Amino acid sequence: MMPSVGIVAAVNDETVLNENLKRSPSIETGAVPLLALRGQPSASRAYNAGLDTTSHDIIVFAHQDVYLPAPWLDNLLDAIAILERDQPHWGVIGLFGVTATGQAVGHVWSSGIGRELGKTFAEPVAVVSIDEMVIVLRRASGLRFDESLPGFHLYATDLCLMARTAGAGVYLGHPPAGHKRVPVRTLRGS
């Protein structure tokens, strides 16, 4: 049986959301519902609110400046099927990350540096941490974001540490994505 998938985004810029994430074909066609949460004090609180509000088997937490092209959903479901077969206790999937040996892996387009990063791969890859632009969480893992983390940084690394501590694997999948990175001018204490 195919798992249900929903997308959650913490939003602070409607234009960025409308020009990127909302233009993703799986969202535009209604194949995957989008829950856009506004006015949240931190990513962790926003994403836990998304967990509490939705009932999907798979919850995708995506930045508002990410674009998920047409093959994205099929590729995500393929990666999940492989993990369900080989690593049924997986917890988190990302699109770009780092392995235990420090190797950066994944495959995304970054407008911030004006090029593709990484290369395509067929099977999910075990990693220790992922980039926060897209976080895929298996609801059955029971994982949640640590709401004591302020602001909008380091929550994916923290989630990956919690997943690994709980025995739930952290992997990279091969769904393509574009990150139209909005520059961060200050961390504002977070």
Side-chain angles (χ1 to χ4, degrees):
M1 185 169 113
M2 189 177 342
S4 62
V5 178
I7 297 176
V8 174
V11 176
N12 68 355
D13 188 320
E14 296 298 323
T15 301
V16 171
L17 174 68
N18 291 331
E19 291 178 358
N20 296 283
L21 189 58
K22 273 191 165 180
R23 285 195 172 171
S24 301
S26 58
I27 294 172
E28 273 192 330
T29 64
V32 178
L34 169 65
L35 174 62
L37 298 168
R38 294 160 178 87
Q40 298 293 314
S42 70
S44 293
R45 287 190 182 179
Y47 289 169
N48 281 341
L51 277 167
D52 294 339
T53 304
T54 65
S55 60
H56 306 287
D57 303 317
I58 305 298
I59 307 96
V60 178
F61 302 95
H63 283 185
Q64 64 192 357
D65 60 353
V66 166
Y67 176 77
L68 307 169
W72 176 83
L73 181 58
D74 290 337
N75 288 0
L76 175 63
L77 293 172
D78 289 347
I80 290 170
I82 291 168
L83 286 174
E84 292 289 333
R85 181 191 71 215
D86 299 338
Q87 304 292 332
H89 300 292
W90 69 273
V92 178
I93 298 172
L95 302 185
F96 204 85
V98 64
T99 66
T101 62
Q103 178 186 10
V105 291
H107 188 226
V108 296
W109 168 260
S110 172
S111 68
I113 59 174
R115 67 181 175 96
E116 268 184 90
L117 298 173
K119 59 184 178 180
T120 59
F121 52 98
E123 300 278 323
V125 176
V127 294
V128 295
S129 188
I130 62 170
D131 187 279
E132 296 170 337
M133 70 178 160
V134 172
I135 302 167
V136 180
L137 183 68
R138 184 177 62 91
R139 181 179 295 282
S141 71
L143 294 168
R144 294 182 64 82
F145 294 87
D146 181 353
E147 291 190 14
S148 68
L149 289 174
F152 292 84
H153 306 285
L154 298 175
Y155 54 90
T157 297
D158 185 67
L159 182 69
C160 291
L161 287 170
M162 287 190 290
R164 294 178 62 223
T165 300
V170 179
Y171 298 89
L172 290 186
H174 59 284
H179 191 198
K180 194 171 188 178
R181 191 169 181 279
V182 176
V184 176
R185 301 200 194 301
T186 176
L187 296 181
R188 291 191 191 107
S190 67

